Amino acid sequence: MSDLTHLSISDLRTGLAGKKFSSRELTQTYLDKIDKTKELNAFILVDRDKALAAADQADKMRAAGSNLPLLGIPGAIKDMILTKDVRTTAASKILQNFVPPYSATVVNRLEAAGSIVLGKTNLDEFAMGSSNENSAFGAVKNPWDIERVPGGSSGGSAAAIAACLAPYALGTDTGGSIRQPASFCNIVGIKPTYGRVSRYGVVAYASSLDQVGPMARTVQDCAEICQVLSGHDEFDSTSVDKPVPQYVAGLKKGVKGLRLGIPKEYFIKGLDPEVEKAVRGAIKQLESLGATTVEISLPHTELAVAVYYILAPAEASSNLARYDGVRYGYRAQGSKDLMDLYCRSRSEGFGQEVQRRIMIGTYVLSSGYFDAFYLKAQKVRTLIAQDFQKAFAEKCDVIVSPTAPTTAFRIAEKVTDPLAMYLNDIFTIPVNLAGLPGMSLPCGFDSKGLPIGLQLIGKPWDEETLFNAGFAYESGTEWHKRLPEMAKV
Amino acid sequence: MAQAPSRNGKSLNGVVMEFEAVIGLETHVQLCTKTKIFCSSSTEFGAEPNQHIDPVTLGLPGSLPVLNRQVLENAIMLGLAMNCEIRRYNRFARKHYFYPDLPKGYQISQYEEPICERGHLNVPMDGAIRTIGITRIHMEEDAGKNIHDSRTHSSLIDLNRAGVALLEIVTQPDLRSPAEASAYLRTLRQIVRFLGVSDGNMEEGSLRCDANISLRPVGQVKFGTRTEIKNLNSFKFVERALEYEIARQMSLLKSGKSIVQETMLFDSATGATRSLRSKEESADYRYFPDPDLPPLVIEEAYIRSIQERMPTLPEQRSKELVDGYGLTAYDAQVLTVERMNIDFFEEVFKVCQNAKLACSWLTSELFGALNTAGLDLKRSPVSARNLGELVKLIDSEAISGKMAKTVFEEMFATGKAPGEIVAARGLKQLTNDDDIAKVVESVFANNAKQLADYVGGNDRLHAFFVGQVMKSTQGTANPKKVNDIILSLIKKRRG
Amino acid sequence: MISNEDVKKLALLARLNLSEPEAQRLHKDLNSILGYMERLQKVDVSKVDPMSHVHGATNVFREDELKPSLPVEAALELAPDHSGRFIRVPIVIDQGGEN
């Protein structure tokens, strides 16, 4: 039998059902592997006992005849997502001892489907970052080259999947935080349409942009998890009550006749030529499978980063006001008065990048600047969303682009220049601003052996087409089968 | 809109005013929904500290608000009652400030898009009606409570109240005196209680008021510099704080000093206001639309359906009492102070069909007895039906007014029906003419001498015979009939 | 361009304590980032509505129905300091709360 940790979710399901291995054996195998790859720093917390107890429980349920879709299959949860009675930190000192009294809806859904939580994955503090260097628990390393970043903010989840430390992981994506690390780590990740997946129990970064999604090694695995996550939640007013299609059942539809929009603004100066070549290659491959291509224009693309870095920090400055050292979380000791308690708890509890974004957000919302920055950005956001609406209405079914302009960069390479770091998100940010579904999947490697991601962007609520196109492409390629050496330990 | 009466020359505490007061009120009304505005925790008053908490109330990471439908309905209902336009497109906004009783570091409120705008309220004042402009009504969440413990130099936080639904009602600066401010508040309280959207209880904090006040020379159009007095939690305090602040501002203005725009607190112990902070120190709330709450789009049909379910308002019911039932304006006002009163009255009326008598027995006898017993109408031992039956007995002359008082006392003490008491005590009034005539004849027979004098022309003996008849019937005879029958029998004898 | 003084005011508004070097670093970062934002000022948005919410969902409600609360212990365990059933903080001097 091959390495259990390399198996897909459907193979794991078959194996468990056929009693080839138990959930306990499987869980134990992952836990051991997590132990052996600690240098990645992919996990903030692993609760072996709890995971094994849940595996035993799953084995018992299977013996009793249960066949829940994810019964006994482990997964990893980004530590931005609340797990009842299991510490949840958002990779911040301010939540370093926070043990939530409730679980996020997505965690409840996974557990109700039989899945087991292996542990909580590392991230950029409060999901603010594109490199996973902004963690109070240390940077995460890229399994393809441990001198490089795994991307961010869901860097721990991406590294864990790439190194086969879990069959799937949850990420959150506010400006590319699932897709960009997926691209840097040669895995698949999808950010569903805004409102498709509940945000209840997910630490809020920027509420109008945040969305939870799955990360895994194949399109089908992502589709399996997305199926469990999706659907209306009465606890999240922005989650939408729309029927969820059967993603896996429809995967073999193919791409014949599918119209691919190629946005000219995404193939620009600053795009690594090796990345461009791989993406162009992928587009050709899709054409050879029966898709057609058309050039489209998304003229407001170059404004997206500016819009995002006004709106996201504005919402973040508001969402992070609750971390005040009063009701939970870190409180500075020996405060002389309440003001001192607030200021010291927050400046000692939040890291540099978080404080930077709180400051930007406070500025753009403050009186006298609101109209020029915040309101203006909301209006340009409308224009960016309209660009996509127009393209989908007139020209194409799916938009294809690179996920990130480069492959994984070196640790510490960009930390001194926040703006350069922000510009790394240029291809992923517009998707969040427009609330669309977006997927990244492996489409090649550069000359340094680093993975390249292909981004597929869909119409609102049309994750299905992304899965179908992604599956068709993946079935004709081998990129996703390549694993880093670390995955083979 | 009615013009404000000039206060020119009127005195306040004996001081002749050359200035007139310009007052606007911002009132917070706590709604009596079962659950909080954005989560399903209880709003029950008087629970143990931190009993009604949940992830949303605590502002835990990941918690999200979901709007209580009842809050929107109540807001629209109050807006309609205050003659407001209902905004068709509404958004909630976040208002940011740090305070330990505010769990999220922001309050979910409405900013530029309040649910109700541009209304007015008719306020009865000294027998006339003043129309007070309503700028806006918006929905928001309440904060928790801090208890300050100077002994241990700490503040203790109870979040039970955090997230309870509030409506904030903002008037135009149309009020001209502390008494008007107080009359407006009483009318507002009456309306929210009529609608059943709030208990309007100022002691429990269900009705809280901030007042903006400035003075200007009489005849000047431009407003003076205003101060804001926070957290006035009784009608009395509203009047006292405004009186104090008017006097304070007036003495400054008269000595040629200017008013500083500032926020004040009223100290009910000293009866004085003191500065909390100046305008320069005022916070920057950084309002922006709350992304967690989708906008509200209010359809005409929805407004209509709420209108249809709305109880008739005191103003209208008062009019019906005068025009339809022939009650005096004063009686109508007494009956419409509370919805409970008028509902009770209508039930009494339904049984007895005599509005004046029903009103008088309700407002003088029952209210008097309740007041003495320290009860309210909800806990009245006398039901509306029984009071109606009593009035009916009086109206049909089955019992006399005097007997009725005895019966009422027993009804109040025992909760029994009047018929039951009358039967048990044999109190039934003697009303049959023949029966009364028999008693009269027997009294005549026993008092032959007096009868002879009376027939002979001494009319002063009439009262003597009435008294003798009432005595021999133990007061059960209908006095009017006794009177009439004696007169007619004497007339016969006089030939 | 924002001044060093502005940075300090913002920090106070956001309840952050900045050391002098941190304030200077943030001052520089903020000016570079806000400078980049300037490109938005050129866009004509006079006929554009702001996008505050995604996908046009409206009128989302729940019914006024009670659900169980968290036990008070859950709150007290999370709180850095408590006294009896209360969460405790250093004394609040200004009693106004919101302005």
Side-chain angles (χ1 to χ4, degrees):
Chain A
M1 186 170 55
S2 65
D3 188 336
L4 284 185
T5 64
H6 297 180
L7 296 181
S8 71
I9 289 174
S10 68
D11 288 343
L12 291 175
R13 190 185 292 125
T14 313
L16 286 164
K19 307 234 160 34
K20 288 194 181 132
F21 47 86
S22 68
S23 175
R24 188 184 177 89
E25 287 166 312
L26 177 63
T27 304
Q28 186 74 59
T29 309
Y30 280 121
L31 290 169
D32 291 348
K33 196 156 182 174
I34 291 169
D35 259 355
K36 284 184 215 149
T37 54
K38 280 206 164 135
E39 63 177 321
L40 286 177
N41 201 22
F43 283 84
I44 289 177
L45 177 145
V46 177
D47 191 335
R48 295 184 68 94
D49 295 344
K50 207 163 206 156
L52 289 171
D56 288 342
Q57 178 65 24
D59 286 332
K60 263 189 216 143
M61 285 171 70
R62 189 174 295 283
S66 169
N67 62 347
L68 291 169
L70 299 178
L71 186 62
I73 297 175
I77 310 291
K78 184 180 185 180
D79 207 21
M80 190 75 167
I81 301 171
L82 270 59
T83 40
K84 185 172 191 277
D85 301 331
V86 176
R87 190 181 62 152
T88 301
T89 67
S92 181
K93 182 177 172 187
I94 213 154
L95 286 176
Q96 65 187 1
N97 294 315
F98 179 68
V99 179
Y102 77 109
S103 278
T105 298
V106 286
V107 171
N108 286 335
R109 287 192 178 190
L110 289 169
E111 290 184 339
S115 188
I116 291 160
V117 177
L118 283 173
K120 307 296 293 285
T121 55
N122 205 340
L123 65 150
D124 284 297
E125 183 180 1
F126 283 101
M128 297 179 190
S130 312
S131 67
N132 218 130
E133 292 165 286
N134 306 328
S135 167
F137 297 84
V140 178
K141 316 243 160 59
N142 190 323
W144 291 91
D145 177 352
I146 60 162
E147 312 226 308
R148 290 177 185 270
V149 303
S153 64
S154 312
S157 287
I161 299 307
C164 298
L165 309 183
Y168 78 87
L170 292 192
T172 65
D173 190 319
T174 306
S177 281
I178 287 175
R179 291 158 290 154
Q180 184 253 24
S183 161
F184 281 12
C185 291
N186 201 47
I187 64 166
V188 185
I190 180 166
K191 178 200 91 73
T193 311
Y194 182 85
R196 180 62 99 183
V197 176
S198 168
R199 295 186 293 116
Y200 187 70
V202 181
V203 176
Y205 160 22
S207 312
S208 77
L209 301 158
D210 295 342
Q211 195 66 190
V212 176
M215 303 167 85
R217 283 183 300 276
T218 67
V219 171
Q220 178 167 341
D221 284 358
C222 274
E224 300 242 20
I225 301 305
C226 204
Q227 192 78 51
V228 175
L229 303 179
S230 297
H232 180 240
D233 177 15
E234 60 173 336
F235 293 108
D236 175 2
S237 306
T238 64
S239 101
V240 173
D241 197 357
K242 271 190 187 289
V244 180
Q246 291 300 313
Y247 295 134
V248 177
L251 280 180
K252 289 182 181 138
K253 278 183 192 159
V255 293
K256 205 161 169 46
L258 195 72
R259 299 170 303 159
L260 310 177
I262 316 298
K264 61 178 185 200
E265 292 82 1
Y266 283 52
F267 294 85
I268 41 157
K269 190 167 77 76
L271 175 60
D272 181 331
E274 289 191 280
V275 171
E276 175 163 4
K277 189 166 166 250
V279 170
R280 298 246 184 237
I283 293 168
K284 281 220 169 64
Q285 169 87 15
L286 283 162
E287 280 179 315
S288 76
L289 295 169
T292 62
T293 59
V294 53
E295 187 184 82
I296 60 164
S297 174
L298 302 169
H300 295 93
T301 300
E302 63 120 4
L303 301 170
V305 172
V307 168
Y308 178 84
Y309 280 97
I310 290 170
L311 297 183
E315 293 184 16
S317 72
S318 171
N319 285 328
L320 271 57
R322 68 189 62 197
Y323 305 102
D324 57 5
V326 173
R327 295 163 314 286
Y328 50 81
Y330 176 77
R331 179 186 287 192
Q333 289 307 299
S335 307
K336 59 181 195 291
D337 56 30
L338 186 70
M339 182 59 113
D340 190 41
L341 182 149
Y342 280 151
C343 293
R344 281 184 38 219
S345 299
R346 287 168 62 79
S347 46
E348 290 168 22
F350 290 135
Q352 232 178 61
E353 180 61 23
V354 173
Q355 293 194 41
R356 181 157 39 222
R357 293 196 196 185
I358 289 175
M359 290 285 281
I360 297 170
T362 304
Y363 178 76
V364 299
L365 289 176
S366 64
S367 75
Y369 303 99
F370 180 87
D371 286 0
F373 286 95
Y374 184 79
L375 196 63
K376 184 91 185 203
Q378 277 197 330
K379 289 180 176 176
V380 179
R381 183 178 183 181
T382 302
L383 296 176
I384 290 166
Q386 285 171 349
D387 284 353
F388 283 105
Q389 282 158 17
K390 191 160 179 279
F392 285 126
E394 293 171 4
K395 295 200 160 157
C396 60
D397 306 307
V398 175
I399 294 168
V400 186
S401 80
T403 304
T406 65
T407 54
F409 44 89
R410 286 181 183 282
I411 289 173
E413 191 179 317
K414 296 193 182 184
V415 280
T416 52
D417 186 355
L419 193 55
M421 187 77 95
Y422 295 173
L423 289 168
N424 201 253
D425 301 333
I426 183 142
F427 301 145
T428 47
I429 279 174
V431 178
N432 299 76
L433 290 173
L436 304 173
M439 177 194 266
S440 179
L441 65 161
C443 74
F445 287 80
D446 70 4
S447 50
K448 295 189 279 289
L450 297 169
I452 297 168
L454 176 74
Q455 178 173 240
L456 303 178
I457 304 166
K459 297 174 188 170
W461 317 111
D462 194 14
E463 290 81 5
E464 202 178 6
T465 299
L466 300 188
F467 287 129
N468 296 346
F471 185 81
Y473 172 77
E474 189 185 74
S475 306
T477 58
E478 298 286 316
W479 308 117
H480 65 286
K481 292 184 181 159
R482 282 207 209 169
L483 294 176
E485 284 309 309
M486 282 196 113
K488 297 166 190 165
V489 295
Chain B
M1 202 178 290
Q3 203 51 58
S6 165
R7 292 278 149 204
N8 194 2
K10 293 234 173 137
S11 71
L12 178 91
N13 299 334
V15 182
V16 175
M17 288 174 70
E18 303 97 335
F19 291 96
E20 89 176 332
V22 175
I23 302 167
L25 296 183
E26 291 173 16
T27 312
H28 288 94
V29 172
Q30 202 178 72
L31 297 182
C32 54
T33 50
K34 287 200 283 288
T35 64
K36 296 182 178 183
I37 180 168
F38 297 120
C39 63
S40 305
S41 277
S42 171
T43 57
E44 175 204 14
F45 184 81
E48 291 288 304
N50 293 309
Q51 187 175 332
H52 301 320
I53 52 160
D54 61 287
V56 176
T57 301
L58 284 168
L60 290 187
S63 63
L64 293 170
V66 184
L67 178 63
N68 183 339
R69 183 194 300 271
Q70 194 63 45
V71 173
L72 176 66
E73 290 215 17
N74 288 353
I76 293 176
M77 202 179 268
L78 185 62
L80 293 172
M82 297 181 91
N83 310 291
C84 291
E85 293 166 25
I86 307 301
R87 233 194 125 79
R88 297 312 148 93
Y89 184 80
N90 290 265
R91 284 183 301 183
F92 284 97
R94 296 182 179 180
K95 175 182 182 178
H96 300 85
Y97 62 92
F98 286 91
Y99 208 62
D101 63 11
L102 186 73
K104 299 182 295 297
Y106 59 85
Q107 177 194 31
I108 305 178
S109 182
Q110 291 187 287
Y111 183 48
E112 287 172 325
E113 293 148 325
I115 180 74
C116 312
E117 297 170 295
R118 290 181 290 277
H120 64 266
L121 183 64
N122 290 331
V123 179
M125 265 299 285
D126 302 330
I129 296 288
R130 284 270 284 119
T131 300
I132 306 303
I134 302 299
T135 309
R136 58 185 280 160
I137 303 176
H138 71 251
M139 301 175 272
E140 63 184 24
E141 58 181 339
D142 208 344
K145 277 183 182 164
N146 295 328
I147 297 160
H148 304 284
D149 183 356
S150 48
R151 198 176 41 84
T152 62
H153 205 66
S154 57
S155 292
L156 304 177
I157 303 158
D158 172 9
L159 294 175
N160 282 345
R161 200 181 66 180
V164 172
L166 297 178
L167 297 180
E168 179 174 328
I169 301 130
V170 182
T171 71
Q172 299 279 4
D174 286 349
L175 299 157
R176 292 291 172 270
S177 70
E180 284 194 9
S182 168
Y184 159 82
L185 271 184
R186 283 173 206 276
T187 307
L188 175 61
R189 178 176 186 273
Q190 178 191 28
I191 288 184
V192 297
R193 290 174 63 88
F194 252 76
L195 297 176
V197 301
S198 171
D199 61 22
N201 189 331
M202 287 192 100
E203 289 67 47
E204 292 181 4
S206 311
L207 200 66
R208 307 193 291 271
C209 180
D210 303 336
N212 284 295
I213 161 107
S214 64
L215 298 185
R216 65 179 169 189
V218 169
Q220 178 181 302
V221 176
K222 201 170 156 262
F223 294 138
T225 304
R226 67 187 164 87
T227 58
E228 184 184 16
I229 317 171
K230 305 291 293 182
N231 291 332
L232 299 168
N233 56 9
S234 85
F235 295 114
K236 200 173 68 193
F237 291 165
V238 171
E239 289 199 47
R240 278 175 53 199
L242 284 170
E243 275 160 14
Y244 180 90
E245 187 59 16
I246 289 171
R248 188 188 72 88
Q249 290 192 12
M250 186 138 35
S251 92
L252 281 173
L253 290 172
K254 284 194 170 169
S255 59
K257 293 181 185 138
S258 55
I259 309 295
V260 179
Q261 184 172 344
E262 58 191 337
T263 303
M264 325 279 291
L265 275 184
F266 176 66
D267 184 338
S268 56
T270 63
T273 57
R274 64 177 170 86
S275 177
L276 186 63
R277 64 190 147 252
S278 70
K279 190 193 175 196
E280 287 66 41
E281 295 168 66
S282 76
D284 183 341
Y285 292 130
R286 289 158 287 141
Y287 282 102
F288 78 100
D290 193 328
D292 287 333
L293 289 158
L296 300 172
V297 177
I298 312 296
E299 307 282 351
E300 186 61 41
Y302 183 60
I303 298 173
R304 266 204 308 275
S305 81
I306 291 171
Q307 192 133 38
E308 280 159 16
R309 276 176 281 146
M310 230 164 100
T312 313
L313 292 169
E315 203 180 345
Q316 174 63 24
R317 289 188 85 167
S318 186
K319 198 167 148 17
E320 287 166 11
L321 290 174
V322 174
D323 299 349
Y325 293 89
L327 297 184
T328 63
Y330 176 81
D331 283 343
Q333 203 190 323
V334 173
L335 286 180
T336 52
V337 163
E338 294 282 352
R339 181 169 159 198
M340 210 165 30
N341 297 1
I342 174 83
D343 287 348
F344 197 96
F345 167 80
E346 295 207 321
E347 266 188 76
V348 176
F349 178 80
K350 224 184 276 169
V351 177
C352 70
Q353 297 295 318
N354 183 331
K356 281 184 185 162
L357 212 48
C359 173
S360 122
W361 274 86
L362 174 59
T363 57
S364 48
E365 300 301 325
L366 183 56
F367 285 178
L370 288 170
N371 200 23
T372 311
L375 293 173
D376 66 17
L377 200 50
K378 239 185 273 173
R379 280 178 281 270
S380 168
V382 176
S383 69
R385 176 162 193 91
N386 283 348
L387 190 65
E389 295 290 350
L390 180 67
V391 173
K392 204 167 149 188
L393 288 173
I394 302 163
D395 195 29
S396 68
E397 300 185 339
I399 57 173
S400 68
K402 201 168 158 219
M403 287 158 63
K405 294 206 177 181
T406 315
V407 174
F408 177 81
E409 273 166 30
E410 192 169 336
M411 286 166 70
F412 196 85
T414 64
K416 283 185 187 157
E420 200 183 326
I421 296 166
V422 167
R425 289 206 182 184
L427 284 174
K428 203 138 175 88
Q429 180 159 265
L430 198 54
T431 53
N432 182 288
D433 288 2
D434 293 345
D435 294 346
I436 292 173
K438 266 183 213 155
V439 179
V440 171
E441 287 296 353
S442 119
V443 168
F444 282 176
N446 293 334
N447 298 281
K449 180 161 180 329
Q450 287 88 340
L451 177 66
D453 283 359
Y454 188 5
V455 173
N458 186 355
D459 284 347
R460 277 180 299 172
L461 283 162
H462 176 74
F464 165 79
F465 283 104
V466 172
Q468 290 299 309
V469 173
M470 293 310 287
K471 196 174 163 193
S472 76
T473 59
Q474 289 169 313
T476 62
N478 180 317
K480 190 172 176 299
K481 289 202 163 171
V482 171
N483 192 58
D484 293 350
I485 288 166
I486 292 175
L487 284 176
S488 91
L489 290 176
I490 292 296
K491 203 178 168 194
K492 259 188 213 161
R493 279 176 165 75
R494 285 174 175 169
Chain C
M1 289 292 275
I2 66 172
S3 67
N4 211 17
E5 214 35 51
D6 293 335
V7 171
K8 284 177 182 158
K9 267 192 212 156
L10 285 175
L12 182 65
L13 201 51
R15 299 292 186 268
L16 294 172
N17 247 353
L18 299 183
S19 66
E20 198 49 47
E22 283 169 332
Q24 279 173 17
R25 177 179 52 75
L26 267 171
H27 185 199
K28 184 175 129 284
D29 289 351
L30 256 55
N31 272 327
S32 131
I33 294 160
L34 295 168
Y36 179 78
M37 309 305 186
E38 285 298 318
R39 66 189 54 215
L40 293 185
Q41 304 316 324
K42 287 177 290 198
V43 189
D44 178 12
V45 290
S46 52
K47 294 192 182 73
V48 183
D49 286 330
M51 181 169 167
S52 60
H53 296 80
V54 191
H55 303 319
T58 58
N59 298 0
V60 179
F61 301 109
R62 63 181 178 79
E63 301 306 321
D64 186 22
E65 286 161 9
L66 271 178
K67 286 193 180 142
S69 299
L70 280 176
V72 66
E73 292 75 25
L76 300 179
E77 271 168 35
L78 289 173
D81 188 16
H82 70 271
S83 168
R85 294 176 62 106
F86 294 97
I87 296 161
R88 182 158 63 186
V89 292
I91 198 153
V92 184
I93 295 150
D94 167 352
Q95 306 210 345
E98 58 120 27
N99 293 13

